[in-house]
Amino acid sequence: MRILVSNDDGYNAPGLEALVHALKGLGDLTVVAPETNCSGASNSLTLNRPMSVRQAANGFYYVNGTPSDCVHIALTGLLDFRPDLVVSGINNGANMGDDTLYSGTVAAATEGYLFGIPAIAFSLVQKGWEHLDSAARIARKLVEQQAANPLAGNILLNVNIPAVPYEAIQEIRVTRLGKRHPSEPVVKSSTPYGDPVYWIGPVGRVSDSAPDTDFGAIEQHAVSVTPLRLDLTHYDQLSQVKDWAGPLCVNQ
């Protein structure tokens, strides 16, 4: 099994090192990760400048770009083989509910998925790396399962792991994404020269944490596994929008 490993916290992040260590023995591992922390980069690609790829002393490749850049470059030019699996993480913090849209961790996995390669993103829900060993053990367990019993078709899994001792994890639960209220207001500040600057405010409060959601699973010390898809079409609105736009004529 050939596994491409990436993340969004950077190539020297403890979560990446823990993931690579956990997956040793399951196949050939190649790491291509961002040079610096790219949390919140989502699926962005760097199109306004060239990027460089360097190799660290531990063998990890690192790119001065986004998580999506890393996987894209790996799959379209850097590697001379096609991986069997793309894994991303272990992220320093949760990627649940609406926040998944912004996640660089999920984006790295998504880039593999877009190329038709099964992909899994792993996140430890509490920042600070406490109980990272638990998350690493869960990651290995899920990758072992995918190797032994591959899911049919192309898959993209978003995995969130509670920051508790391994023995306290209740179960691995398949979930849907929960919901949050809108984010808190930006935090306004100023530079030493008096120019206004803004920091993105805290995330909003959880509004849907039912037991079948990722939020609900984590509340009960269960691992959340959410299968994702990328079709953004709002099918329920197709008919309504056809009625709305249909009478319009471009030449009138």
Side-chain angles (χ1 to χ4, degrees):
M1 192 176 189
R2 293 175 293 191
I3 304 173
L4 174 61
V5 187
S6 192
N7 75 342
D8 76 348
D9 290 319
Y11 75 99
N12 58 358
L16 181 65
E17 295 178 359
L19 180 59
V20 171
H21 181 75
L23 299 184
K24 284 184 177 179
L26 297 183
D28 296 326
L29 306 178
T30 303
V31 177
V32 186
E35 182 176 16
T36 59
N37 189 303
C38 293
S39 296
S42 189
N43 299 89
S44 60
L45 291 173
T46 301
L47 304 178
N48 61 348
R49 60 171 175 83
M51 288 168 285
S52 61
V53 180
R54 296 183 172 88
Q55 192 168 20
N58 61 3
F60 292 4
Y61 292 97
Y62 61 93
V63 180
N64 59 341
T66 68
S68 294
D69 289 330
C70 294
V71 176
H72 191 95
I73 288 173
L75 298 180
T76 62
L78 180 64
L79 305 182
D80 59 0
F81 62 88
R82 179 181 172 86
D84 302 299
L85 180 68
V86 173
V87 296
S88 180
I90 297 168
N91 190 62
N92 185 22
N95 283 304
M96 300 189 294
D98 308 322
D99 302 338
T100 303
L101 290 171
Y102 302 104
S103 169
T105 303
V106 176
T110 299
E111 195 68 16
Y113 173 81
L114 288 171
F115 279 88
I117 301 171
I120 309 176
F122 295 102
S123 299
L124 180 62
V125 298
Q126 184 173 311
K127 290 183 179 293
W129 306 117
E130 186 176 8
H131 301 300
L132 178 57
D133 58 327
S134 299
R137 291 176 68 176
I138 291 295
R140 182 180 178 91
K141 184 180 291 288
L142 288 171
V143 172
E144 284 179 330
Q145 176 70 349
Q146 174 62 16
N149 301 288
L151 287 163
N154 197 16
I155 58 122
L156 173 59
L157 301 181
N158 183 36
V159 179
N160 283 274
I161 305 158
V164 297
Y166 186 79
E167 296 73 20
I169 295 176
Q170 298 300 310
E171 62 177 321
I172 295 177
R173 186 183 303 176
V174 178
T175 62
R176 62 180 175 87
L177 295 180
K179 297 290 184 183
R180 284 192 187 274
H181 289 293
S183 296
E184 298 296 320
V186 295
V187 178
K188 185 177 180 180
S189 185
S190 62
T191 70
Y193 305 100
D195 298 319
V197 292
Y198 300 87
W199 291 92
I200 296 296
V203 297
R205 292 175 289 110
V206 175
S207 61
D208 181 4
S209 59
D212 65 334
T213 67
D214 45 9
F215 291 116
I218 292 299
E219 285 179 0
Q220 298 177 14
H221 290 176
V223 175
S224 166
V225 179
T226 306
L228 303 179
R229 65 178 181 181
L230 300 182
D231 186 350
L232 299 180
T233 306
H234 196 318
Y235 291 97
D236 292 342
Q237 290 186 354
L238 283 175
S239 178
Q240 176 188 355
V241 176
K242 283 179 182 178
D243 293 340
W244 175 77
L248 301 177
C249 180
V250 174
N251 296 319
Q252 287 183 349

